[in-house]
Amino acid sequence: MRAEVRTVAAGELNRYADGIRDVYARAFAAPPWNEDPAQADSYAERLARDALRPGFTAAVATAGETVTGFATAWITPEAFPADRSYGQVAEALGPGRTRAWLCGALEVNELAVAPEAHGAGLGAALLHTVTGPAPDGRCWLLTSVRAGSALRLYERAGWQRVDAPVPGAAGLVVLLGPRHPRRAEAGSGDR
């Protein structure tokens, strides 16, 4: 059965919550994430809060009634956050680039595809769907340099790595979307 990808309003997410939780648990159990499946419950709780963020958008891939993938994004606040990995990102980019490149841009928070659905183009379709509302094409995401298949997906879709390693043990890297107006500066190292 062929999967269908569509935008889902925040109020509709509850309908897909169990499927999203299941895909999250299976997608992030593998390296480099190695998350305990119980962390999917924490993600489901966080997703309910994240859906309230300004500019929140979500896309879900379904095959019949089964969720096979999802992606979420929101607008990064003008006052750049310091929780999660944000502080490390700000340290890597410096205040000028953080403000100019990320604040007010659409931030892809999560993208996951069920392992059995890999290779069907769902990741690219979810990414394209969730980044459609990016203001002036400005979108970004953070991933691990150890996530080889994810990096290949993003780079095939035209995303560009920022030449500024994010400090910390996770080996994180910032990528700018294919229409981000600051892409030309992403490899320059200017702060």
Side-chain angles (χ1 to χ4, degrees):
M1 177 177 284
R2 187 162 160 59
E4 175 188 345
V5 176
R6 68 183 198 91
T7 302
V8 177
E12 290 181 89
L13 276 176
N14 224 18
R15 174 179 169 200
Y16 301 99
D18 290 340
I20 289 171
R21 182 183 300 108
D22 177 62
V23 169
Y24 183 97
R26 293 186 298 126
F28 292 107
W33 313 112
N34 302 312
E35 288 193 13
D36 182 292
Q39 289 178 284
D41 292 331
S42 297
Y43 174 70
E45 292 168 10
R46 182 167 46 98
L47 179 58
R49 291 187 307 273
D50 289 343
L52 302 174
R53 291 174 179 260
F56 178 85
T57 186
V60 174
T62 55
E65 295 296 314
T66 303
V67 174
T68 56
F70 70 93
T72 60
W74 54 71
I75 301 297
T76 303
E78 291 298 331
F80 199 70
D83 62 339
R84 298 185 187 181
S85 297
Y86 289 112
Q88 294 161 304
V89 169
E91 182 181 339
L93 297 182
R97 291 193 304 179
T98 298
R99 208 171 21 264
W101 296 4
L102 309 183
C103 293
L106 186 79
E107 171 185 346
V108 177
N109 179 56
E110 296 290 355
L111 189 150
V113 174
E116 68 275 7
H118 286 186
L122 288 182
L126 287 161
L127 185 62
H128 178 75
T129 301
V130 82
T131 58
D136 301 322
R138 296 175 65 235
C139 54
W140 71 283
L141 61 82
L142 184 66
T143 194
S144 173
V145 294
R146 296 181 199 98
S149 58
L151 282 170
R152 287 187 296 277
L153 162 72
Y154 299 136
E155 289 169 349
R156 276 193 312 268
W159 289 66
Q160 181 178 344
R161 291 187 206 196
V162 173
D163 185 21
V166 177
L172 299 175
V173 62
V174 174
L175 287 93
L176 299 181
R179 296 180 296 127
H180 198 295
R182 297 299 182 103
R183 286 172 47 90
E185 302 167 40
S188 70
D190 295 337
R191 288 185 188 224

